[in-house]
Amino acid sequence: MDHTTRLQYLEAMGISVWLPRVTAEHQSAAESDDNWESLQADVAGCTQCGLCKSRHTTVFGSGNKNADWMIVGEAPGQSEDQQGLPFTGKAGLLLTEMLRAIELKREDIFITNVLKCRPPDNREPKHEEIESCKSYLRRQQALIQPKIILALGHVAAQTLLNTDQPIAELRSKIHILNNTPVVVVYHPAYLLRAVLDKRKAWADLKFALQTVKKN
Ligand code: URA
């Protein structure tokens, strides 16, 4: 089904569709012949924002580069900054459990973050840090071509969807980013504190699973 027809169907079904301000067609010619080696090298040597001064290492992302599922979190924490891998701490353990509940293993998916460097003291990413890092996420999506993107938490959701709407309004819907459905799920670090919302996260995961099966 072509993009325009799919958008018409989704609209007719009352599903909100978010289109990025910059569409795939407008990406530079340089990005269209991008490859993993140059992207990884660009991230590893990045000095585009101040976080390069305090980071121990960059956290590019890990997993299957041909995955159907791309999972996007917020930013590396202390453990991730030390190990150079995403979601290695307590939130990572919960994420692994959440994925297991829908019969996915970490090696089946690609996991990354909006920011590739740790913000000091685990503070929230600043607007300018997100802006500096955004192109890496876009390039990852273009190389992976996932069937679905799961946005974990409000920072990932608002960045990918270019909105400041709260997560409660963004979840339970299919959004579209460069032809790819995006489903928003509560961040596992939040779920560790707000145990009662785990039920909603389970509903969101099942919703994401159905979305992939339909595509
Ligand atoms: N670890 C990550 O890699 N990302 C998060 O968003 C939280 C913990």
Side-chain angles (χ1 to χ4, degrees):
M1 187 186 301
D2 68 38
H3 182 49
T4 315
T5 316
R6 187 194 329 207
L7 291 182
Q8 282 164 349
Y9 272 118
L10 291 171
E11 217 174 296
M13 286 160 68
I15 292 168
S16 101
V17 175
W18 293 80
L19 292 173
R21 278 187 199 143
V22 179
T23 63
E25 292 77 39
H26 290 111
Q27 281 174 24
S28 68
E31 268 186 34
S32 64
D33 38 63
D34 203 3
N35 61 66
W36 284 104
E37 290 70 31
S38 62
L39 177 53
Q40 271 171 292
D42 288 350
V43 170
C46 184
T47 54
Q48 290 194 77
C49 80
L51 296 180
C52 64
K53 299 197 190 100
S54 53
R55 75 179 176 222
H56 177 255
T57 185
T58 53
V59 181
F60 180 79
S62 70
N64 183 343
K65 289 174 178 162
N66 297 309
D68 287 345
W69 293 67
M70 176 170 167
I71 302 203
V72 182
E74 180 174 317
Q78 188 177 23
S79 155
E80 291 81 11
D81 178 57
Q82 287 301 317
Q83 300 187 46
L85 291 168
F87 284 98
T88 54
K90 276 191 197 153
L93 282 178
L94 178 56
L95 176 61
T96 306
E97 289 307 311
M98 289 162 70
L99 293 171
R100 209 202 319 239
I102 50 168
E103 296 184 359
L104 285 176
K105 297 195 204 86
R106 299 255 307 215
E107 54 272 30
D108 298 332
I109 60 178
F110 190 85
I111 309 184
T112 190
N113 286 302
V114 170
L115 292 192
K116 308 306 187 218
C117 294
R118 180 190 180 207
D121 306 319
N122 299 338
R123 63 158 168 74
E124 272 217 1
K126 292 184 182 162
H127 176 73
E128 60 270 24
E129 293 161 353
I130 293 176
E131 287 303 309
S132 308
C133 228
K134 247 181 180 173
S135 67
Y136 300 134
L137 197 54
R138 194 176 67 229
R139 288 169 65 188
Q140 287 177 316
Q141 183 193 348
L143 286 169
I144 297 167
Q145 301 274 325
K147 285 196 182 154
I148 190 164
I149 298 177
L150 270 195
L152 300 180
H154 71 284
V155 171
Q158 292 173 347
T159 302
L160 287 165
L161 303 174
N162 202 10
T163 178
D164 52 12
Q165 275 191 274
I167 191 161
E169 285 171 27
L170 296 171
R171 56 177 289 275
S172 313
K173 292 179 185 140
I174 301 171
H175 310 270
I176 303 286
L177 176 66
N178 296 332
N179 275 345
T180 306
V182 178
V183 170
V184 174
V185 182
Y186 285 115
H187 194 289
Y190 165 77
L191 293 172
L192 287 171
R193 303 187 302 270
V195 180
L196 291 181
D197 276 341
K198 277 190 176 171
R199 234 176 324 151
K200 289 187 197 158
W202 172 232
D204 294 338
L205 288 174
K206 282 194 291 185
F207 178 60
L209 198 56
Q210 282 164 11
T211 306
V212 173
K213 284 184 179 158
K214 275 189 218 144
N215 270 278

